[in-house]
Amino acid sequence: LNARIWGVPVQAKAKLSNFTDPLLEASLTSTLSLAVLQGILKDKLKIILPGTLKGEGKLFLSLQNKFSSVGSLKINGYLDFLKADLKLEKINSPFAEISGRMEFSQDQLKSQGLQFKYQEVPYQLSGALTNFKAPQVKLGLSSKDLVLESNFILENKLLNFSQCKGRYLKSEFSFTGGLDTADSSNLAADIDGNLNLDLADLKILFAKSWKQLEKINPQDGLVLSVDIGF
């Protein structure tokens, strides 16, 4: 069955089974503009993304509903990004050439490996977001120089990190703690962390002032324990 929903062409299938206790199963597929999809999320579903999406995507949506049970509607599906671009409002450079699959259900978003470029550097992102009312996030991000793993919860504008650890170049870091974002002009933080710094990385991180840093002969490592509160 071919149809148009909110102006978007879709291919639909539906099946009704067990007439004594009817079960409706339906699926929709569509290849569509991500700008159009963003408009539908905003206008029809009141979901506002903090940025601008461009490019194309392939959407699959599955619905299942048992008429005899209130609240039995199940929704899941996925969106394949086809070399999309995302420009966030407060970040100067866009996330470019996004490709990969984002799976979703009524209470979760997850991906096994979205690929994208940021400032021409390739990255891979995986993870899951569960419980949209009080989001619980498990995140993995990697590139040639960076490996990051993080678990955090966002509730009432309070960001709590149960784990955040990784490596940048040859230096390793980890921290836990909280960040109160209720007042963006006056953030409050309580963070404990460790940094195992390979001093040779300073040559890359501070290339412009390297001649001054060479005087301290940074060749070994430095381990720092950090406790930040403000």
Side-chain angles (χ1 to χ4, degrees):
L1 174 65
N2 294 320
R4 296 185 73 88
I5 299 177
W6 294 328
V8 176
V10 301
Q11 295 78 48
K13 295 180 181 180
K15 181 177 72 173
L16 186 62
S17 59
N18 190 4
F19 290 97
T20 57
D21 188 9
L23 173 66
L24 175 65
E25 298 172 281
S27 64
L28 304 173
T29 59
S30 179
T31 299
L32 73 168
S33 161
L34 294 176
V36 170
L37 177 60
Q38 183 175 5
I40 292 173
L41 291 174
K42 177 182 177 181
D43 298 335
K44 305 298 184 180
L45 303 178
K46 308 305 179 184
I47 299 174
I48 299 176
L49 301 179
T52 303
L53 270 173
K54 294 181 180 179
E56 284 192 336
K58 184 176 180 180
L59 177 67
F60 172 80
L61 181 64
S62 173
L63 303 96
Q64 187 180 88
N65 188 47
K66 204 168 188 178
F67 292 98
S68 62
S69 301
V70 177
S72 67
L73 178 64
K74 296 180 180 179
I75 301 174
N76 58 70
Y78 61 80
L79 176 65
D80 287 336
F81 292 92
L82 309 176
K83 290 191 176 181
D85 290 343
L86 171 62
K87 177 66 174 66
L88 296 178
E89 293 173 352
K90 296 183 179 181
I91 298 179
N92 292 330
S93 299
F95 297 88
E97 298 182 27
I98 304 169
S99 61
R101 175 168 293 183
M102 178 70 74
E103 300 176 42
F104 61 85
S105 63
Q106 287 147 298
D107 63 353
Q108 187 180 66
L109 290 174
K110 65 179 181 179
S111 175
Q112 298 300 319
L114 282 178
Q115 298 179 349
F116 64 92
K117 287 185 178 180
Y118 182 72
Q119 295 182 345
E120 300 302 321
V121 177
Y123 289 86
Q124 181 163 313
L125 175 70
S126 62
L129 185 155
T130 305
N131 187 358
F132 297 127
K133 293 182 179 180
Q136 302 175 30
V137 179
K138 183 177 182 180
L139 181 69
L141 179 67
S142 63
S143 70
K144 178 183 176 182
D145 297 324
L146 174 69
V147 176
L148 174 67
E149 296 179 6
S150 181
N151 296 333
F152 60 89
I153 297 174
L154 177 61
E155 188 171 13
N156 297 325
K157 296 188 177 182
L158 181 62
L159 195 59
N160 282 313
F161 290 89
S162 59
Q163 171 185 273
C164 187
K165 65 179 182 179
R167 172 185 55 79
Y168 182 68
L169 299 174
K170 295 180 181 179
S171 300
E172 298 179 349
F173 59 87
S174 66
F175 69 84
T176 60
L179 180 66
D180 190 343
T181 65
D183 184 355
S184 59
S185 63
N186 186 26
L187 298 177
D190 184 7
I191 296 173
D192 295 318
N194 291 283
L195 173 63
N196 188 349
L197 178 65
D198 188 318
L199 294 180
D201 290 345
L202 295 176
K203 186 173 183 178
I204 299 173
L205 296 171
F206 301 100
K208 293 182 180 180
S209 55
W210 180 246
K211 288 185 179 180
Q212 294 296 322
L213 291 171
E214 275 187 318
K215 296 177 181 180
I216 63 174
N217 192 26
Q219 295 179 355
D220 299 319
L222 178 64
V223 178
L224 301 175
S225 293
V226 182
D227 185 359
I228 300 174
F230 57 85

